């Protein structure tokens, strides 16, 4: 699980980094001393969990989490016990009261993993023999035709599945990696945030894939070679 450590105190931040390095299922993406710095990192990478101090200058940790449209899992760390109730109001996974040790941190990390595993199991898609996929969304299980998927957009731990003849995308709690496992070869990831149906491409213009007049999707550096290889295999001209 990708995570961020956020604390305005350098020593406390270093402690978080050290503890995270001791947990095999946690990958530290970055260590930030402000919510503003964390916001930049979260836009650049998909984050599964943040370990964040509440009492910080400018915008505190609680306010920062509340400002996020689709917040990742949260573990609050603070020296002030009165913040505990507020922390759980935003569905925090756990609350660590400073000073805390490695064992306490491990218990919080295990709670994070339990929730992560539960979320991914709850929304696992199942493919049947009729080229269909079942997805859990908003307490419902819906069936969609895989061939109707135009493209998939990743948003933290959520996905937006854009379908033919549907004005609004289907929003599911699922990872890009998990849905990739259930998609046929007619789908390709072109960016960390986008998987496209290759049969729905209208045009490729420089660093963008054009799906329709209003949809221009970027081609990420990590995925450019494989995507251009696909195009070359289909290209009939010189």
């Amino acid at each position: 699980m990708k995570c961020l450590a956020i604390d305005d105190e350098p020593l406390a931040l270093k402690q978080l980094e050290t503890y995270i390095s001791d947990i095999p299922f946690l990958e530290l993406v970055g260590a930030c001393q402000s919510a503003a710095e964390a916001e930049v990192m979260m836009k650049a990478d998909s984050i599964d969990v943040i370990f964040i101090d509440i009492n910080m200058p400018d915008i505190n940790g609680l306010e920062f989490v509340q400002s996020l449209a689709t917040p990742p899992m949260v573990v609050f760390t603070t020296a002030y016990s009165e913040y505990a109730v507020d922390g759980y109001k935003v569905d925090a996974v756990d609350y660590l009261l400073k000073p805390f040790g490695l064992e306490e941190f491990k218990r919080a990390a295990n709670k994070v993993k339990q929730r992560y595993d539960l979320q991914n199991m709850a929304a696992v898609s199942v493919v049947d023999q009729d080229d269909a996929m079942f997805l859990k969304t908003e307490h419902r299980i819906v069936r969609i035709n895989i061939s109707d998927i135009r493209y998939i957009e990743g948003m933290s731990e959520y996905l937006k599945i854009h379908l033919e003849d549907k004005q609004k995308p289907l929003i599911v709690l699922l990872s890009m990696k998990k849905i990739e496992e259930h998609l046929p070869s007619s789908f390709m990831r072109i960016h960390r945030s986008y998987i496209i149906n290759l049969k729905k491409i209208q045009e490729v213009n420089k660093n963008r894939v054009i799906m329709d007049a209003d949809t221009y999707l970027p081609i990420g550096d990590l995925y450019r070679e494989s995507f251009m290889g696909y195009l070359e295999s289909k290209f009939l001209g010189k």
Side-chain angles (χ1 to χ4, degrees), residues 25-234:
F25 53 81
L26 293 181
E27 175 189 350
L28 182 63
V29 174
C32 313
Q33 289 189 271
S34 70
E37 186 181 350
E39 186 174 15
V40 173
M41 287 193 176
M42 291 177 70
K43 288 179 179 179
D45 207 340
S46 176
I47 302 299
D48 299 306
V49 56
I50 57 176
F51 295 88
I52 182 170
D53 185 26
I54 292 181
N55 191 32
M56 297 192 300
D58 299 326
I59 176 172
N60 69 39
L62 185 64
E63 293 169 341
F64 174 64
V65 173
Q66 290 173 326
S67 73
L68 299 174
T70 54
M73 292 180 286
V74 179
V75 174
F76 284 118
T77 65
T78 185
Y80 301 94
S81 59
E82 61 267 26
Y83 284 123
V85 174
D86 289 333
Y88 287 114
K89 286 181 181 178
V90 295
D91 196 28
V93 178
D94 207 353
Y95 177 98
L96 291 170
L97 185 63
K98 297 179 181 178
F100 54 87
L102 178 58
E103 289 305 312
E104 292 170 283
F105 184 84
K106 284 182 177 179
R107 284 194 290 271
N110 285 330
K111 289 182 181 179
V112 167
K113 189 177 187 303
Q114 288 173 3
R115 182 176 294 191
Y116 179 84
D117 291 342
L118 181 62
Q119 287 175 346
N120 279 275
M121 284 193 302
V124 167
S125 42
V126 179
V127 182
D128 67 17
Q129 296 179 350
D130 298 321
D131 188 43
M133 180 178 288
F134 293 88
L135 296 170
K136 184 175 180 180
T137 177
E138 297 178 347
H139 308 293
R140 298 177 296 131
I141 296 177
V142 298
R143 179 184 184 276
I144 62 172
N145 292 325
I146 295 176
S147 58
D148 286 341
I149 300 174
R150 295 174 59 242
Y151 67 97
I152 299 168
E153 180 180 0
M155 298 180 62
S156 188
E157 71 264 36
Y158 290 88
L159 298 179
K160 284 186 176 182
I161 301 178
H162 298 261
L163 301 165
E164 291 283 4
D165 304 322
K166 297 287 186 181
Q167 291 185 346
K168 292 184 178 181
L170 187 70
I171 299 177
V172 298
L173 181 63
L174 196 64
S175 69
M176 294 284 273
K177 181 179 178 181
K178 179 63 68 173
I179 201 165
E180 275 186 294
E181 295 173 357
H182 296 289
L183 291 172
S185 59
S186 55
F187 287 79
M188 181 176 287
R189 193 165 183 174
I190 62 166
H191 188 274
R192 68 172 180 272
S193 300
Y194 294 104
I195 298 172
I196 63 170
N197 186 338
L198 297 168
K199 296 179 180 180
K200 306 294 184 181
I201 297 174
Q202 290 192 1
E203 184 179 333
V204 179
N205 189 331
K206 296 182 180 179
N207 294 322
R208 300 180 301 178
V209 175
I210 301 173
M211 306 300 289
D212 57 49
D214 300 315
T215 308
Y216 294 68
L217 305 180
I219 302 171
D221 291 340
L222 292 177
Y223 307 92
R224 188 182 315 281
E225 184 176 351
S226 59
F227 179 64
M228 297 310 294
Y230 164 79
L231 290 182
E232 290 174 7
S233 71
K234 302 295 182 181

